[in-house]
Amino acid sequence: MRDLGVGFTYLVRGQRWVARHGRQYGFGLLPGLITLVLYAAALVALALWGADFVAWATPFADDWSSPWPGLFRGFLTAVLFGLGLLLSVLTFTAATLLIGQPFYENLSEKVDRDVSPDGTAPESGLPLARELWISARDSLRILVRAALWGVLLFALGFVPVVGQTVVPVIGVVVTGFFLTEELTAVALQRRRVELRDRLAMLRSRKTLVWGFGTPLGLAFLVPFVAVFLMPGAVAGATLMARDLLGEETRDGDRGRDPEGDGYQDGYQDEVPAP
């Protein structure tokens, strides 16, 4: 259970890192803002026309006596919107990372350089187009897995009691796992770690993953929060990736400024008095 606290610590450290690196944080906000606008438009459309879709899909309820058609369709409409919200949470990170690949790649490299004992960051050596293709391909594979989980949880939501108690908890845990996979992928893809190996690595440290991803998934349920947490989440996931691979890391809270040669927030090496 100790890994739960360690995972959450990485999330906090990532937010602290971007708080000290304002330029990286500002650039990291742009992809999230673009994705938020697109997803918000989709959810608004679902809210406006979801009831019409449910009525079209359930013609057999037209012959039911009142008030059962309205109650039944109202319930399905609420469940449909809930499924849309769940899928938006599951896929928001993948879509944002795909849109902001160059931004987050650069941010992750800066974190690696900042906390690496020798001040270097691993590089994939692949052309940008190839990196984008691999990222899109892997994201699609993860989205398929997330969608299958979403459909399964949607179906289980109809089970009395369990659907209203256990299923939401499972949904948050599953969301946290997929969020962590997508976020750590930014750093792990630069290290040429394949998707299958990444999943095996994360499954071997489930409590660490849940400690990082579950609170992040809960926070992402709050409108706009995901946009502001994404840069720090990428930074924290980079630190976690180093842990998963057993890479040596110096104190990331007292790192060098990757934008220059100085130090952050007044931190500097102690120099003996002459």
Side-chain angles (χ1 to χ4, degrees), residues 46-112:
L46 187 61
L48 292 176
W49 293 293
D52 294 337
F53 173 78
V54 169
W56 170 81
T58 57
F60 55 85
D62 292 340
D63 299 329
W64 294 0
S65 60
S66 181
W68 298 115
L71 292 175
F72 176 69
R73 286 168 172 166
F75 171 74
L76 288 183
T77 300
V79 171
L80 178 64
F81 186 81
L83 176 62
L85 187 61
L86 175 62
L87 289 177
S88 68
V89 173
L90 288 173
T91 61
F92 182 88
T93 302
T96 303
L97 290 175
L98 186 59
I99 292 173
Q101 175 76 12
F103 296 94
Y104 295 133
E105 189 78 23
N106 181 264
L107 189 155
S108 179
E109 285 186 15
K110 293 288 174 59
V111 174
D112 267 324

Short mmCIF file of all heavy atoms in Angstrom, two decimals, residues 46-112:
data_model
loop_
_atom_site.label_atom_id
_atom_site.label_comp_id
_atom_site.label_asym_id
_atom_site.label_seq_id
_atom_site.Cartn_x
_atom_site.Cartn_y
_atom_site.Cartn_z
N LEU A 46 -24.66 16.19 -26.91
CA LEU A 46 -25.26 15.00 -26.31
C LEU A 46 -26.37 15.38 -25.34
O LEU A 46 -27.42 14.72 -25.28
CB LEU A 46 -24.19 14.19 -25.59
CG LEU A 46 -24.61 12.82 -25.03
CD1 LEU A 46 -25.09 11.91 -26.16
CD2 LEU A 46 -23.46 12.17 -24.29
N ALA A 47 -26.16 16.46 -24.59
CA ALA A 47 -27.18 16.92 -23.65
C ALA A 47 -28.42 17.45 -24.37
O ALA A 47 -29.56 17.26 -23.92
CB ALA A 47 -26.60 17.99 -22.73
N LEU A 48 -28.21 18.12 -25.51
CA LEU A 48 -29.33 18.72 -26.24
C LEU A 48 -30.13 17.68 -27.02
O LEU A 48 -31.37 17.76 -27.07
CB LEU A 48 -28.80 19.80 -27.19
CG LEU A 48 -28.22 21.06 -26.54
CD1 LEU A 48 -27.65 21.99 -27.60
CD2 LEU A 48 -29.30 21.78 -25.72
N TRP A 49 -29.44 16.73 -27.62
CA TRP A 49 -30.12 15.79 -28.51
C TRP A 49 -30.09 14.35 -28.02
O TRP A 49 -30.56 13.44 -28.72
CB TRP A 49 -29.51 15.87 -29.91
CG TRP A 49 -29.78 17.20 -30.56
CD1 TRP A 49 -30.99 17.69 -30.96
CD2 TRP A 49 -28.81 18.21 -30.86
NE1 TRP A 49 -30.84 18.94 -31.50
CE2 TRP A 49 -29.50 19.30 -31.45
CE3 TRP A 49 -27.43 18.32 -30.70
CZ2 TRP A 49 -28.87 20.46 -31.87
CZ3 TRP A 49 -26.80 19.48 -31.10
CH2 TRP A 49 -27.51 20.52 -31.68
N GLY A 50 -29.58 14.13 -26.81
CA GLY A 50 -29.54 12.78 -26.28
C GLY A 50 -30.92 12.18 -26.08
O GLY A 50 -31.16 11.00 -26.38
N ALA A 51 -31.86 12.99 -25.60
CA ALA A 51 -33.22 12.50 -25.37
C ALA A 51 -33.89 12.10 -26.68
O ALA A 51 -34.61 11.10 -26.75
CB ALA A 51 -34.05 13.57 -24.66
N ASP A 52 -33.65 12.89 -27.74
CA ASP A 52 -34.21 12.56 -29.05
C ASP A 52 -33.63 11.25 -29.57
O ASP A 52 -34.35 10.43 -30.16
CB ASP A 52 -33.92 13.68 -30.04
CG ASP A 52 -34.65 14.97 -29.68
OD1 ASP A 52 -35.68 14.89 -28.97
OD2 ASP A 52 -34.18 16.05 -30.08
N PHE A 53 -32.34 11.05 -29.34
CA PHE A 53 -31.71 9.80 -29.78
C PHE A 53 -32.29 8.60 -29.05
O PHE A 53 -32.57 7.56 -29.65
CB PHE A 53 -30.20 9.88 -29.57
CG PHE A 53 -29.49 8.58 -29.84
CD1 PHE A 53 -29.23 8.18 -31.14
CD2 PHE A 53 -29.10 7.75 -28.79
CE1 PHE A 53 -28.58 6.98 -31.40
CE2 PHE A 53 -28.46 6.55 -29.04
CZ PHE A 53 -28.20 6.16 -30.34
N VAL A 54 -32.47 8.75 -27.72
CA VAL A 54 -33.02 7.64 -26.93
C VAL A 54 -34.45 7.33 -27.38
O VAL A 54 -34.84 6.16 -27.50
CB VAL A 54 -32.98 7.99 -25.43
CG1 VAL A 54 -33.79 6.98 -24.62
CG2 VAL A 54 -31.54 8.02 -24.93
N ALA A 55 -35.26 8.36 -27.64
CA ALA A 55 -36.62 8.14 -28.09
C ALA A 55 -36.65 7.42 -29.44
O ALA A 55 -37.48 6.54 -29.67
CB ALA A 55 -37.35 9.48 -28.19
N TRP A 56 -35.72 7.80 -30.32
CA TRP A 56 -35.63 7.14 -31.62
C TRP A 56 -35.21 5.68 -31.48
O TRP A 56 -35.66 4.81 -32.22
CB TRP A 56 -34.63 7.89 -32.50
CG TRP A 56 -34.29 7.17 -33.77
CD1 TRP A 56 -35.00 7.14 -34.93
CD2 TRP A 56 -33.13 6.34 -33.99
NE1 TRP A 56 -34.37 6.36 -35.87
CE2 TRP A 56 -33.22 5.85 -35.33
CE3 TRP A 56 -32.04 5.96 -33.21
CZ2 TRP A 56 -32.24 5.02 -35.87
CZ3 TRP A 56 -31.08 5.13 -33.75
CH2 TRP A 56 -31.19 4.67 -35.06
N ALA A 57 -34.32 5.40 -30.51
CA ALA A 57 -33.78 4.05 -30.33
C ALA A 57 -34.72 3.13 -29.55
O ALA A 57 -34.48 1.92 -29.50
CB ALA A 57 -32.43 4.12 -29.63
N THR A 58 -35.77 3.67 -28.94
CA THR A 58 -36.68 2.85 -28.12
C THR A 58 -38.13 3.02 -28.58
O THR A 58 -39.00 3.41 -27.79
CB THR A 58 -36.55 3.23 -26.64
OG1 THR A 58 -36.82 4.65 -26.48
CG2 THR A 58 -35.16 2.93 -26.11
N PRO A 59 -38.43 2.70 -29.84
CA PRO A 59 -39.82 2.85 -30.31
C PRO A 59 -40.79 1.91 -29.60
O PRO A 59 -41.99 2.18 -29.54
CB PRO A 59 -39.71 2.53 -31.80
CG PRO A 59 -38.51 1.64 -31.92
CD PRO A 59 -37.55 2.16 -30.89
N PHE A 60 -40.26 0.81 -29.06
CA PHE A 60 -41.13 -0.16 -28.39
C PHE A 60 -41.77 0.41 -27.13
O PHE A 60 -42.79 -0.11 -26.65
CB PHE A 60 -40.32 -1.40 -28.02
CG PHE A 60 -39.09 -1.11 -27.20
CD1 PHE A 60 -39.17 -1.00 -25.83
CD2 PHE A 60 -37.85 -0.95 -27.82
CE1 PHE A 60 -38.03 -0.73 -25.06
CE2 PHE A 60 -36.72 -0.69 -27.06
CZ PHE A 60 -36.80 -0.57 -25.69
N ALA A 61 -41.21 1.50 -26.60
CA ALA A 61 -41.76 2.09 -25.37
C ALA A 61 -42.93 3.02 -25.66
O ALA A 61 -43.58 3.49 -24.71
CB ALA A 61 -40.66 2.85 -24.61
N ASP A 62 -43.23 3.27 -26.93
CA ASP A 62 -44.34 4.19 -27.26
C ASP A 62 -45.67 3.67 -26.77
O ASP A 62 -46.58 4.46 -26.44
CB ASP A 62 -44.39 4.41 -28.78
CG ASP A 62 -43.20 5.20 -29.29
OD1 ASP A 62 -42.55 5.89 -28.47
OD2 ASP A 62 -42.90 5.12 -30.50
N ASP A 63 -45.82 2.36 -26.73
CA ASP A 63 -47.11 1.77 -26.36
C ASP A 63 -47.27 1.56 -24.87
O ASP A 63 -48.31 1.07 -24.41
CB ASP A 63 -47.30 0.43 -27.09
CG ASP A 63 -47.30 0.59 -28.60
OD1 ASP A 63 -47.74 1.66 -29.07
OD2 ASP A 63 -46.86 -0.35 -29.30
N TRP A 64 -46.25 1.88 -24.09
CA TRP A 64 -46.34 1.70 -22.65
C TRP A 64 -47.28 2.75 -22.06
O TRP A 64 -47.40 3.87 -22.58
CB TRP A 64 -44.97 1.81 -22.00
CG TRP A 64 -44.02 0.71 -22.38
CD1 TRP A 64 -44.26 -0.33 -23.22
CD2 TRP A 64 -42.68 0.57 -21.92
NE1 TRP A 64 -43.16 -1.14 -23.33
CE2 TRP A 64 -42.15 -0.61 -22.54
CE3 TRP A 64 -41.86 1.29 -21.07
CZ2 TRP A 64 -40.86 -1.05 -22.32
CZ3 TRP A 64 -40.56 0.86 -20.84
CH2 TRP A 64 -40.07 -0.31 -21.46
N SER A 65 -47.87 2.40 -20.94
CA SER A 65 -48.75 3.35 -20.27
C SER A 65 -47.92 4.38 -19.50
O SER A 65 -46.82 4.09 -19.02
CB SER A 65 -49.69 2.61 -19.31
OG SER A 65 -48.94 1.90 -18.32
N SER A 66 -48.47 5.57 -19.38
CA SER A 66 -47.80 6.65 -18.65
C SER A 66 -47.72 6.28 -17.16
O SER A 66 -48.63 5.64 -16.62
CB SER A 66 -48.59 7.94 -18.84
OG SER A 66 -47.98 9.01 -18.17
N PRO A 67 -46.61 6.63 -16.47
CA PRO A 67 -45.48 7.48 -16.88
C PRO A 67 -44.25 6.68 -17.28
O PRO A 67 -43.15 7.23 -17.31
CB PRO A 67 -45.19 8.25 -15.60
CG PRO A 67 -45.44 7.24 -14.52
CD PRO A 67 -46.59 6.37 -15.01
N TRP A 68 -44.40 5.36 -17.56
CA TRP A 68 -43.24 4.50 -17.76
C TRP A 68 -42.37 4.89 -18.96
O TRP A 68 -41.14 4.82 -18.87
CB TRP A 68 -43.70 3.06 -17.86
CG TRP A 68 -44.38 2.59 -16.60
CD1 TRP A 68 -45.67 2.23 -16.44
CD2 TRP A 68 -43.77 2.50 -15.30
NE1 TRP A 68 -45.94 1.91 -15.13
CE2 TRP A 68 -44.78 2.06 -14.41
CE3 TRP A 68 -42.49 2.74 -14.81
CZ2 TRP A 68 -44.53 1.86 -13.06
CZ3 TRP A 68 -42.24 2.53 -13.47
CH2 TRP A 68 -43.25 2.10 -12.60
N PRO A 69 -42.93 5.27 -20.10
CA PRO A 69 -42.04 5.67 -21.20
C PRO A 69 -41.12 6.83 -20.83
O PRO A 69 -39.93 6.82 -21.13
CB PRO A 69 -43.02 6.07 -22.32
CG PRO A 69 -44.26 5.33 -22.00
CD PRO A 69 -44.35 5.30 -20.51
N GLY A 70 -41.69 7.85 -20.15
CA GLY A 70 -40.88 9.00 -19.76
C GLY A 70 -39.80 8.64 -18.76
O GLY A 70 -38.64 9.09 -18.87
N LEU A 71 -40.17 7.81 -17.77
CA LEU A 71 -39.19 7.41 -16.77
C LEU A 71 -38.08 6.55 -17.37
O LEU A 71 -36.89 6.74 -17.08
CB LEU A 71 -39.89 6.63 -15.64
CG LEU A 71 -40.85 7.44 -14.76
CD1 LEU A 71 -41.56 6.51 -13.77
CD2 LEU A 71 -40.10 8.54 -14.02
N PHE A 72 -38.49 5.60 -18.22
CA PHE A 72 -37.52 4.71 -18.84
C PHE A 72 -36.55 5.48 -19.73
O PHE A 72 -35.33 5.32 -19.64
CB PHE A 72 -38.26 3.64 -19.65
CG PHE A 72 -37.37 2.72 -20.42
CD1 PHE A 72 -36.56 1.80 -19.77
CD2 PHE A 72 -37.35 2.76 -21.81
CE1 PHE A 72 -35.73 0.94 -20.49
CE2 PHE A 72 -36.52 1.91 -22.53
CZ PHE A 72 -35.71 0.99 -21.86
N ARG A 73 -37.10 6.35 -20.57
CA ARG A 73 -36.25 7.11 -21.49
C ARG A 73 -35.41 8.16 -20.75
O ARG A 73 -34.28 8.45 -21.14
CB ARG A 73 -37.10 7.75 -22.57
CG ARG A 73 -37.60 6.74 -23.60
CD ARG A 73 -38.66 7.30 -24.50
NE ARG A 73 -38.98 6.35 -25.58
CZ ARG A 73 -40.05 6.46 -26.36
NH1 ARG A 73 -40.92 7.46 -26.18
NH2 ARG A 73 -40.26 5.55 -27.31
N GLY A 74 -35.97 8.72 -19.70
CA GLY A 74 -35.18 9.66 -18.90
C GLY A 74 -33.99 8.99 -18.26
O GLY A 74 -32.88 9.54 -18.22
N PHE A 75 -34.22 7.76 -17.76
CA PHE A 75 -33.12 7.00 -17.16
C PHE A 75 -32.06 6.69 -18.20
O PHE A 75 -30.85 6.86 -17.96
CB PHE A 75 -33.66 5.71 -16.55
CG PHE A 75 -32.60 4.76 -16.09
CD1 PHE A 75 -31.87 5.01 -14.94
CD2 PHE A 75 -32.32 3.60 -16.82
CE1 PHE A 75 -30.87 4.14 -14.52
CE2 PHE A 75 -31.33 2.72 -16.40
CZ PHE A 75 -30.61 2.99 -15.24
N LEU A 76 -32.47 6.23 -19.40
CA LEU A 76 -31.51 5.91 -20.45
C LEU A 76 -30.75 7.15 -20.91
O LEU A 76 -29.55 7.08 -21.21
CB LEU A 76 -32.22 5.27 -21.64
CG LEU A 76 -32.73 3.84 -21.46
CD1 LEU A 76 -33.34 3.33 -22.76
CD2 LEU A 76 -31.62 2.91 -21.00
N THR A 77 -31.44 8.28 -20.95
CA THR A 77 -30.77 9.52 -21.35
C THR A 77 -29.69 9.90 -20.35
O THR A 77 -28.58 10.31 -20.72
CB THR A 77 -31.79 10.67 -21.47
OG1 THR A 77 -32.78 10.34 -22.45
CG2 THR A 77 -31.10 11.96 -21.88
N ALA A 78 -30.01 9.75 -19.05
CA ALA A 78 -29.02 10.05 -18.02
C ALA A 78 -27.84 9.10 -18.10
O ALA A 78 -26.67 9.52 -17.96
CB ALA A 78 -29.67 9.97 -16.64
N VAL A 79 -28.13 7.81 -18.33
CA VAL A 79 -27.05 6.83 -18.44
C VAL A 79 -26.20 7.11 -19.68
O VAL A 79 -24.96 7.00 -19.64
CB VAL A 79 -27.63 5.40 -18.50
CG1 VAL A 79 -26.54 4.39 -18.83
CG2 VAL A 79 -28.29 5.04 -17.18
N LEU A 80 -26.85 7.49 -20.78
CA LEU A 80 -26.11 7.80 -22.01
C LEU A 80 -25.17 8.98 -21.79
O LEU A 80 -24.01 8.95 -22.22
CB LEU A 80 -27.10 8.11 -23.14
CG LEU A 80 -26.48 8.50 -24.49
CD1 LEU A 80 -25.68 7.33 -25.06
CD2 LEU A 80 -27.56 8.94 -25.47
N PHE A 81 -25.66 10.01 -21.10
CA PHE A 81 -24.81 11.16 -20.84
C PHE A 81 -23.67 10.77 -19.89
O PHE A 81 -22.54 11.22 -20.05
CB PHE A 81 -25.62 12.30 -20.23
CG PHE A 81 -24.83 13.57 -20.06
CD1 PHE A 81 -24.64 14.43 -21.12
CD2 PHE A 81 -24.26 13.89 -18.83
CE1 PHE A 81 -23.90 15.60 -20.97
CE2 PHE A 81 -23.52 15.04 -18.66
CZ PHE A 81 -23.34 15.90 -19.74
N GLY A 82 -23.99 9.92 -18.90
CA GLY A 82 -22.94 9.45 -17.99
C GLY A 82 -21.87 8.67 -18.72
O GLY A 82 -20.67 8.80 -18.43
N LEU A 83 -22.28 7.83 -19.68
CA LEU A 83 -21.32 7.07 -20.48
C LEU A 83 -20.46 8.02 -21.30
O LEU A 83 -19.25 7.83 -21.41
CB LEU A 83 -22.05 6.09 -21.39
CG LEU A 83 -21.18 5.29 -22.36
CD1 LEU A 83 -20.19 4.41 -21.58
CD2 LEU A 83 -22.04 4.43 -23.28
N GLY A 84 -21.11 9.03 -21.89
CA GLY A 84 -20.35 10.02 -22.66
C GLY A 84 -19.34 10.75 -21.80
O GLY A 84 -18.21 11.01 -22.22
N LEU A 85 -19.74 11.07 -20.56
CA LEU A 85 -18.83 11.75 -19.64
C LEU A 85 -17.68 10.83 -19.26
O LEU A 85 -16.52 11.26 -19.21
CB LEU A 85 -19.60 12.18 -18.39
CG LEU A 85 -18.84 13.05 -17.39
CD1 LEU A 85 -18.40 14.36 -18.03
CD2 LEU A 85 -19.71 13.33 -16.17
N LEU A 86 -17.98 9.54 -19.01
CA LEU A 86 -16.93 8.59 -18.67
C LEU A 86 -15.94 8.43 -19.82
O LEU A 86 -14.72 8.45 -19.62
CB LEU A 86 -17.55 7.23 -18.32
CG LEU A 86 -16.56 6.08 -18.06
CD1 LEU A 86 -15.67 6.39 -16.87
CD2 LEU A 86 -17.31 4.76 -17.85
N LEU A 87 -16.46 8.28 -21.03
CA LEU A 87 -15.58 8.13 -22.19
C LEU A 87 -14.76 9.39 -22.43
O LEU A 87 -13.61 9.31 -22.87
CB LEU A 87 -16.41 7.78 -23.44
CG LEU A 87 -17.01 6.38 -23.47
CD1 LEU A 87 -17.86 6.19 -24.72
CD2 LEU A 87 -15.92 5.31 -23.41
N SER A 88 -15.34 10.55 -22.15
CA SER A 88 -14.59 11.79 -22.33
C SER A 88 -13.42 11.86 -21.35
O SER A 88 -12.33 12.32 -21.70
CB SER A 88 -15.50 13.01 -22.15
OG SER A 88 -15.94 13.14 -20.81
N VAL A 89 -13.64 11.37 -20.12
CA VAL A 89 -12.56 11.34 -19.14
C VAL A 89 -11.49 10.33 -19.57
O VAL A 89 -10.28 10.59 -19.49
CB VAL A 89 -13.09 11.00 -17.74
CG1 VAL A 89 -11.94 10.80 -16.76
CG2 VAL A 89 -14.01 12.10 -17.25
N LEU A 90 -11.94 9.16 -20.04
CA LEU A 90 -11.01 8.11 -20.44
C LEU A 90 -10.17 8.52 -21.65
O LEU A 90 -9.01 8.13 -21.77
CB LEU A 90 -11.76 6.82 -20.76
CG LEU A 90 -12.35 6.04 -19.58
CD1 LEU A 90 -13.22 4.90 -20.07
CD2 LEU A 90 -11.25 5.51 -18.67
N THR A 91 -10.77 9.29 -22.56
CA THR A 91 -10.09 9.61 -23.81
C THR A 91 -9.49 11.02 -23.84
O THR A 91 -8.75 11.34 -24.76
CB THR A 91 -11.06 9.47 -25.00
OG1 THR A 91 -12.16 10.39 -24.83
CG2 THR A 91 -11.60 8.05 -25.08
N PHE A 92 -9.81 11.85 -22.84
CA PHE A 92 -9.35 13.25 -22.86
C PHE A 92 -7.83 13.31 -22.91
O PHE A 92 -7.24 14.07 -23.67
CB PHE A 92 -9.87 14.00 -21.64
CG PHE A 92 -9.48 15.45 -21.62
CD1 PHE A 92 -10.27 16.41 -22.24
CD2 PHE A 92 -8.31 15.87 -20.99
CE1 PHE A 92 -9.90 17.74 -22.24
CE2 PHE A 92 -7.93 17.20 -20.97
CZ PHE A 92 -8.74 18.14 -21.60
N THR A 93 -7.19 12.50 -22.07
CA THR A 93 -5.73 12.53 -22.00
C THR A 93 -5.12 12.10 -23.34
O THR A 93 -4.18 12.74 -23.83
CB THR A 93 -5.23 11.62 -20.88
OG1 THR A 93 -5.80 12.04 -19.65
CG2 THR A 93 -3.71 11.67 -20.78
N ALA A 94 -5.66 11.02 -23.93
CA ALA A 94 -5.12 10.54 -25.20
C ALA A 94 -5.26 11.60 -26.29
O ALA A 94 -4.31 11.85 -27.05
CB ALA A 94 -5.84 9.25 -25.62
N ALA A 95 -6.44 12.23 -26.35
CA ALA A 95 -6.66 13.25 -27.37
C ALA A 95 -5.76 14.47 -27.14
O ALA A 95 -5.18 15.03 -28.08
CB ALA A 95 -8.13 13.67 -27.38
N THR A 96 -5.63 14.87 -25.89
CA THR A 96 -4.80 16.03 -25.57
C THR A 96 -3.33 15.75 -25.87
O THR A 96 -2.62 16.61 -26.42
CB THR A 96 -4.96 16.42 -24.09
OG1 THR A 96 -6.34 16.66 -23.81
CG2 THR A 96 -4.17 17.67 -23.77
N LEU A 97 -2.86 14.56 -25.51
CA LEU A 97 -1.46 14.22 -25.78
C LEU A 97 -1.18 14.13 -27.27
O LEU A 97 -0.10 14.50 -27.73
CB LEU A 97 -1.11 12.89 -25.10
CG LEU A 97 -1.05 12.91 -23.57
CD1 LEU A 97 -0.81 11.51 -23.03
CD2 LEU A 97 0.04 13.85 -23.08
N LEU A 98 -2.17 13.64 -28.02
CA LEU A 98 -1.98 13.54 -29.47
C LEU A 98 -1.92 14.94 -30.09
O LEU A 98 -1.05 15.21 -30.92
CB LEU A 98 -3.13 12.74 -30.09
CG LEU A 98 -3.02 12.44 -31.58
CD1 LEU A 98 -1.75 11.64 -31.87
CD2 LEU A 98 -4.24 11.69 -32.08
N ILE A 99 -2.82 15.83 -29.66
CA ILE A 99 -2.82 17.19 -30.18
C ILE A 99 -1.55 17.93 -29.75
O ILE A 99 -0.96 18.69 -30.52
CB ILE A 99 -4.07 17.96 -29.70
CG1 ILE A 99 -5.32 17.35 -30.34
CG2 ILE A 99 -3.98 19.44 -30.02
CD1 ILE A 99 -6.63 17.91 -29.81
N GLY A 100 -1.15 17.71 -28.50
CA GLY A 100 -0.02 18.46 -27.96
C GLY A 100 1.27 17.68 -27.90
O GLY A 100 2.13 17.99 -27.06
N GLN A 101 1.45 16.68 -28.75
CA GLN A 101 2.64 15.84 -28.71
C GLN A 101 3.94 16.64 -28.65
O GLN A 101 4.78 16.39 -27.79
CB GLN A 101 2.65 14.89 -29.91
CG GLN A 101 3.90 14.04 -30.07
CD GLN A 101 3.95 12.89 -29.07
OE1 GLN A 101 2.96 12.59 -28.42
NE2 GLN A 101 5.10 12.26 -28.96
N PRO A 102 4.16 17.61 -29.55
CA PRO A 102 5.43 18.35 -29.48
C PRO A 102 5.60 19.12 -28.17
O PRO A 102 6.71 19.20 -27.63
CB PRO A 102 5.34 19.31 -30.68
CG PRO A 102 4.32 18.70 -31.58
CD PRO A 102 3.33 18.04 -30.68
N PHE A 103 4.49 19.69 -27.65
CA PHE A 103 4.56 20.46 -26.41
C PHE A 103 4.96 19.56 -25.24
O PHE A 103 5.87 19.88 -24.47
CB PHE A 103 3.20 21.10 -26.11
CG PHE A 103 2.77 22.12 -27.11
CD1 PHE A 103 1.95 21.76 -28.17
CD2 PHE A 103 3.18 23.44 -27.01
CE1 PHE A 103 1.53 22.70 -29.10
CE2 PHE A 103 2.77 24.40 -27.93
CZ PHE A 103 1.94 24.02 -28.98
N TYR A 104 4.26 18.43 -25.10
CA TYR A 104 4.49 17.57 -23.95
C TYR A 104 5.80 16.79 -24.08
O TYR A 104 6.43 16.45 -23.08
CB TYR A 104 3.32 16.60 -23.78
CG TYR A 104 2.04 17.33 -23.43
CD1 TYR A 104 0.84 17.05 -24.09
CD2 TYR A 104 2.02 18.30 -22.44
CE1 TYR A 104 -0.33 17.72 -23.77
CE2 TYR A 104 0.86 18.97 -22.11
CZ TYR A 104 -0.32 18.68 -22.79
OH TYR A 104 -1.46 19.34 -22.47
N GLU A 105 6.20 16.51 -25.31
CA GLU A 105 7.50 15.86 -25.53
C GLU A 105 8.61 16.77 -25.01
O GLU A 105 9.54 16.32 -24.32
CB GLU A 105 7.69 15.58 -27.01
CG GLU A 105 8.90 14.71 -27.32
CD GLU A 105 8.64 13.24 -27.04
OE1 GLU A 105 7.48 12.82 -27.02
OE2 GLU A 105 9.63 12.53 -26.82
N ASN A 106 8.51 18.05 -25.34
CA ASN A 106 9.51 19.01 -24.90
C ASN A 106 9.48 19.17 -23.39
O ASN A 106 10.53 19.23 -22.73
CB ASN A 106 9.24 20.36 -25.58
CG ASN A 106 10.25 21.42 -25.19
OD1 ASN A 106 10.01 22.23 -24.29
ND2 ASN A 106 11.38 21.45 -25.88
N LEU A 107 8.28 19.22 -22.81
CA LEU A 107 8.15 19.35 -21.36
C LEU A 107 8.77 18.15 -20.65
O LEU A 107 9.51 18.29 -19.67
CB LEU A 107 6.68 19.51 -20.99
CG LEU A 107 6.33 19.86 -19.54
CD1 LEU A 107 4.97 20.57 -19.48
CD2 LEU A 107 6.27 18.64 -18.64
N SER A 108 8.48 16.95 -21.14
CA SER A 108 9.00 15.73 -20.54
C SER A 108 10.52 15.69 -20.61
O SER A 108 11.21 15.27 -19.65
CB SER A 108 8.41 14.50 -21.23
OG SER A 108 8.90 13.31 -20.68
N GLU A 109 11.09 16.13 -21.72
CA GLU A 109 12.54 16.16 -21.86
C GLU A 109 13.15 17.13 -20.85
O GLU A 109 14.20 16.85 -20.26
CB GLU A 109 12.94 16.58 -23.28
CG GLU A 109 12.74 15.50 -24.32
CD GLU A 109 13.27 15.91 -25.68
OE1 GLU A 109 14.04 16.90 -25.73
OE2 GLU A 109 12.92 15.26 -26.67
N LYS A 110 12.49 18.28 -20.64
CA LYS A 110 13.01 19.26 -19.68
C LYS A 110 13.00 18.67 -18.27
O LYS A 110 13.93 18.90 -17.49
CB LYS A 110 12.15 20.53 -19.74
CG LYS A 110 12.26 21.30 -21.04
CD LYS A 110 13.59 22.00 -21.16
CE LYS A 110 13.78 22.66 -22.54
NZ LYS A 110 12.76 23.64 -22.85
N VAL A 111 11.96 17.92 -17.93
CA VAL A 111 11.91 17.29 -16.61
C VAL A 111 13.05 16.29 -16.48
O VAL A 111 13.75 16.26 -15.45
CB VAL A 111 10.55 16.58 -16.39
CG1 VAL A 111 10.57 15.80 -15.08
CG2 VAL A 111 9.42 17.60 -16.37
N ASP A 112 13.26 15.47 -17.51
CA ASP A 112 14.34 14.48 -17.46
C ASP A 112 15.69 15.16 -17.26
O ASP A 112 16.52 14.71 -16.45
CB ASP A 112 14.37 13.67 -18.76
CG ASP A 112 13.55 12.38 -18.67
OD1 ASP A 112 13.55 11.77 -17.58
OD2 ASP A 112 12.93 11.99 -19.66
#
